[in-house]
Amino acid sequence: MINTSNGMMASSSSNTAQSPGLKTYFKTPEGRYKLLYEKTHPAGLLHYTHGKTVTQVTLANLKDKPAPMPPATSLTTSAGSGVRSAAARFLGGGNGGRALSFVGGNGSSKAVSGSGRIGSLGNTGSSNSVASNYDGKGTYLIFNVGDAIFISDLNSQDRDPIKSIHFSNSNPVCHAFDPDAKDGHDLLVGLNSGDVYSLSLRQQLQDVGKKHVGGQHYNKDVVVLVLHGCLMEMSKDGAGDSSFPVIKDQTQFSVAHARNSKSNPIARWHICQGSINSIAFSTDGTYLATVGRDGYLRIFDYAKEQLVCGGKSYYGALLCCAWSMDGKYILTGGEDDLVQVWSMEDRKVVAWGEGHNSWVSGVAFDSYWSAPNSDGTGENVMYRFGSVGQDTQLLLWDLEMDEIVVPLRRGPPGGSPTFSTGSQSSHWDSVVPVGTLQPAQSMRDVPKLSPLVAHRVHTEPLSGLVFTPESVLTVCREGHIKVWMRPGFAESQSGNSESMSGTSLKEKSSLSGKVIGSAYKQ
């Protein structure tokens, strides 16, 4: 039950088992975000392998019309989709970053949440078991815990998942969903053994067993290669093994292609000497961002296979990254407890977000949020983004570049730097040349942001967050997911009214936010 006088959880219920001291809401200028329900794995799952992986969450929206699927007895699929995928397995764990991503063969990236609305959250009519005549409609949460992948119905308040897929002798560490996969294999799963599986989510839901069915399997010593900072580019059309030349200079970026176009992997990208912790494609699929143990963000032109720009963290490894919908900014987070905002126009850090008390393990732009006073002209674009960390906190940030305080340049020795406001590009002496990796910048040279919201949402360290049209999802590394309803949607749910239509990623052309110095501490 919830004590509505103070918003604190007095006792646990079947749907929202909240720890004492954690509030079931947090405040923003536009209203309260309220905890609707939680998702988690079966209680009896905990065993010795549980602590070896960090839970990641993927949102999957299955379309109304089922896609053609290969026979369940086949371990390989016929080619023809033309969809290429880039996969990198992170080592060293605990970062909460996404290390698996789709990009289309035509250069367009695939939005994880799909293009349709999420649906009316909070319905209680779904079953705990998967029916054999399952029609494939719905929105699902895919998350990994221990040696299993779990699938939960986002539109149901049931805590337990409706499906589990167990892998023998290996643990899933990352996954990604492609709603437009032509061959029906829309789910990628990466294991800590270096194996990658391409599966049909719809087919897994139709099967009552606990093993994956009808999957395509890739393996080419990915573990060894990623230890040396390599990203393997794989094709669903490929079969057989690839051989690549020995990397002569471990410090230099290089791309090697397989001699046989029908083999897998089709290319090896040697990016850095340490492990790759997270990768992310820009919305249009033009650019690929990577962050690694060496503390560098690297941004590549994916089609040209060219390093465009990048830079070093203040200190320590970078663990996560995310693009804005317009491709102008990139968020990174890591072991320096900072959220860094990188500009593609200026090719450098343009703001640092200070507010976390430990490593930042997940970052994301909220493409569904609109500024209250937005005029829709796009002349003064504003942004809202979020971050989570091992300090168990969710932080929300508002960013308006025209209001940010920009250090122009250092003054004379012993003096103070000069500042101004306005467009970032007009203040830097020159644009950084293509292919340059920037060194770590001084604290006094970068504008600082303060969080709009700082709210402790879990008792365990957090590993990721996802924004939907109706809610914000937070996930901790132990496999517990919380669904926080946006202002307005929470009231409509409690009143049993229909959910408002969500705006699709493709329709959302303007993002929003502004710099606010004071935080709403919860």
mmCIF file of all heavy atoms in Angstrom, residues 66 101 138 141 164 176 203 224 251 274 300 372 384 423 466:
data_model
loop_
_atom_site.group_PDB
_atom_site.id
_atom_site.type_symbol
_atom_site.label_atom_id
_atom_site.label_comp_id
_atom_site.label_asym_id
_atom_site.label_seq_id
_atom_site.Cartn_x
_atom_site.Cartn_y
_atom_site.Cartn_z
ATOM 1 N N PRO A 66 2.429 -10.290 -38.402
ATOM 2 C CA PRO A 66 3.581 -11.157 -38.164
ATOM 3 C C PRO A 66 4.465 -11.241 -39.400
ATOM 4 O O PRO A 66 3.993 -11.303 -40.526
ATOM 5 C CB PRO A 66 2.951 -12.518 -37.847
ATOM 6 C CG PRO A 66 1.539 -12.203 -37.437
ATOM 7 C CD PRO A 66 1.153 -10.989 -38.232
ATOM 8 N N SER A 101 24.227 -3.228 -31.382
ATOM 9 C CA SER A 101 23.360 -2.274 -32.061
ATOM 10 C C SER A 101 23.117 -2.695 -33.490
ATOM 11 O O SER A 101 23.928 -3.395 -34.086
ATOM 12 C CB SER A 101 23.979 -0.878 -32.023
ATOM 13 O OG SER A 101 23.128 0.078 -32.588
ATOM 14 N N GLY A 138 2.224 -6.343 -29.507
ATOM 15 C CA GLY A 138 2.555 -5.870 -28.180
ATOM 16 C C GLY A 138 3.929 -5.244 -28.080
ATOM 17 O O GLY A 138 4.716 -5.239 -29.020
ATOM 18 N N LEU A 141 9.615 -5.860 -22.837
ATOM 19 C CA LEU A 141 10.901 -5.562 -22.238
ATOM 20 C C LEU A 141 11.755 -6.816 -22.302
ATOM 21 O O LEU A 141 11.329 -7.886 -21.867
ATOM 22 C CB LEU A 141 10.738 -5.118 -20.785
ATOM 23 C CG LEU A 141 10.026 -3.792 -20.543
ATOM 24 C CD1 LEU A 141 9.865 -3.558 -19.048
ATOM 25 C CD2 LEU A 141 10.787 -2.650 -21.179
ATOM 26 N N SER A 164 11.263 -16.987 -20.674
ATOM 27 C CA SER A 164 12.692 -16.983 -20.371
ATOM 28 C C SER A 164 13.417 -17.861 -21.373
ATOM 29 O O SER A 164 12.886 -18.887 -21.825
ATOM 30 C CB SER A 164 12.956 -17.479 -18.945
ATOM 31 O OG SER A 164 12.542 -18.833 -18.795
ATOM 32 N N ALA A 176 19.859 -6.329 -28.689
ATOM 33 C CA ALA A 176 19.295 -5.219 -29.462
ATOM 34 C C ALA A 176 18.135 -5.740 -30.284
ATOM 35 O O ALA A 176 18.082 -6.933 -30.635
ATOM 36 C CB ALA A 176 20.359 -4.592 -30.363
ATOM 37 N N GLN A 203 8.910 -15.722 -32.629
ATOM 38 C CA GLN A 203 9.047 -17.178 -32.585
ATOM 39 C C GLN A 203 9.411 -17.663 -31.181
ATOM 40 O O GLN A 203 8.928 -18.713 -30.732
ATOM 41 C CB GLN A 203 10.114 -17.627 -33.582
ATOM 42 C CG GLN A 203 10.153 -19.133 -33.796
ATOM 43 C CD GLN A 203 11.085 -19.514 -34.925
ATOM 44 O OE1 GLN A 203 11.721 -18.652 -35.522
ATOM 45 N NE2 GLN A 203 11.161 -20.790 -35.216
ATOM 46 N N VAL A 224 38.622 -12.743 -27.892
ATOM 47 C CA VAL A 224 40.019 -12.378 -28.062
ATOM 48 C C VAL A 224 40.147 -11.045 -28.783
ATOM 49 O O VAL A 224 40.927 -10.175 -28.410
ATOM 50 C CB VAL A 224 40.773 -13.479 -28.840
ATOM 51 C CG1 VAL A 224 42.216 -13.061 -29.096
ATOM 52 C CG2 VAL A 224 40.729 -14.793 -28.069
ATOM 53 N N THR A 251 48.024 0.866 -31.591
ATOM 54 C CA THR A 251 47.621 2.217 -31.216
ATOM 55 C C THR A 251 46.851 2.931 -32.314
ATOM 56 O O THR A 251 46.308 4.010 -32.081
ATOM 57 C CB THR A 251 48.849 3.065 -30.849
ATOM 58 O OG1 THR A 251 49.680 3.233 -32.021
ATOM 59 C CG2 THR A 251 49.657 2.393 -29.742
ATOM 60 N N GLY A 274 42.221 -1.123 -25.279
ATOM 61 C CA GLY A 274 41.406 -1.692 -24.224
ATOM 62 C C GLY A 274 40.067 -2.164 -24.750
ATOM 63 O O GLY A 274 39.817 -2.193 -25.953
ATOM 64 N N PHE A 300 32.929 7.734 -35.666
ATOM 65 C CA PHE A 300 33.339 7.297 -36.993
ATOM 66 C C PHE A 300 32.256 7.587 -38.020
ATOM 67 O O PHE A 300 31.059 7.506 -37.702
ATOM 68 C CB PHE A 300 33.620 5.786 -36.995
ATOM 69 C CG PHE A 300 34.679 5.357 -36.021
ATOM 70 C CD1 PHE A 300 34.331 4.956 -34.734
ATOM 71 C CD2 PHE A 300 36.011 5.340 -36.383
ATOM 72 C CE1 PHE A 300 35.303 4.558 -33.825
ATOM 73 C CE2 PHE A 300 36.990 4.943 -35.481
ATOM 74 C CZ PHE A 300 36.633 4.545 -34.207
ATOM 75 N N PRO A 372 7.842 23.383 -22.382
ATOM 76 C CA PRO A 372 6.528 24.004 -22.162
ATOM 77 C C PRO A 372 6.277 25.220 -23.046
ATOM 78 O O PRO A 372 5.159 25.446 -23.502
ATOM 79 C CB PRO A 372 6.572 24.389 -20.676
ATOM 80 C CG PRO A 372 7.596 23.477 -20.077
ATOM 81 C CD PRO A 372 8.610 23.251 -21.144
ATOM 82 N N ARG A 384 16.115 17.553 -23.402
ATOM 83 C CA ARG A 384 15.997 16.920 -22.090
ATOM 84 C C ARG A 384 16.723 15.575 -22.188
ATOM 85 O O ARG A 384 16.525 14.816 -23.142
ATOM 86 C CB ARG A 384 14.515 16.712 -21.733
ATOM 87 C CG ARG A 384 14.237 15.724 -20.592
ATOM 88 C CD ARG A 384 14.590 16.246 -19.221
ATOM 89 N NE ARG A 384 13.889 17.459 -18.852
ATOM 90 C CZ ARG A 384 12.673 17.493 -18.295
ATOM 91 N NH1 ARG A 384 11.997 16.370 -18.108
ATOM 92 N NH2 ARG A 384 12.131 18.654 -17.955
ATOM 93 N N SER A 423 25.774 30.975 -29.088
ATOM 94 C CA SER A 423 26.122 29.815 -29.892
ATOM 95 C C SER A 423 27.553 29.379 -29.637
ATOM 96 O O SER A 423 28.463 30.188 -29.594
ATOM 97 C CB SER A 423 25.949 30.137 -31.377
ATOM 98 O OG SER A 423 26.368 29.054 -32.170
ATOM 99 N N VAL A 466 15.505 3.957 -20.143
ATOM 100 C CA VAL A 466 14.850 4.019 -21.450
ATOM 101 C C VAL A 466 13.688 4.992 -21.344
ATOM 102 O O VAL A 466 12.901 4.922 -20.388
ATOM 103 C CB VAL A 466 14.342 2.637 -21.909
ATOM 104 C CG1 VAL A 466 13.603 2.754 -23.239
ATOM 105 C CG2 VAL A 466 15.492 1.643 -22.021
#
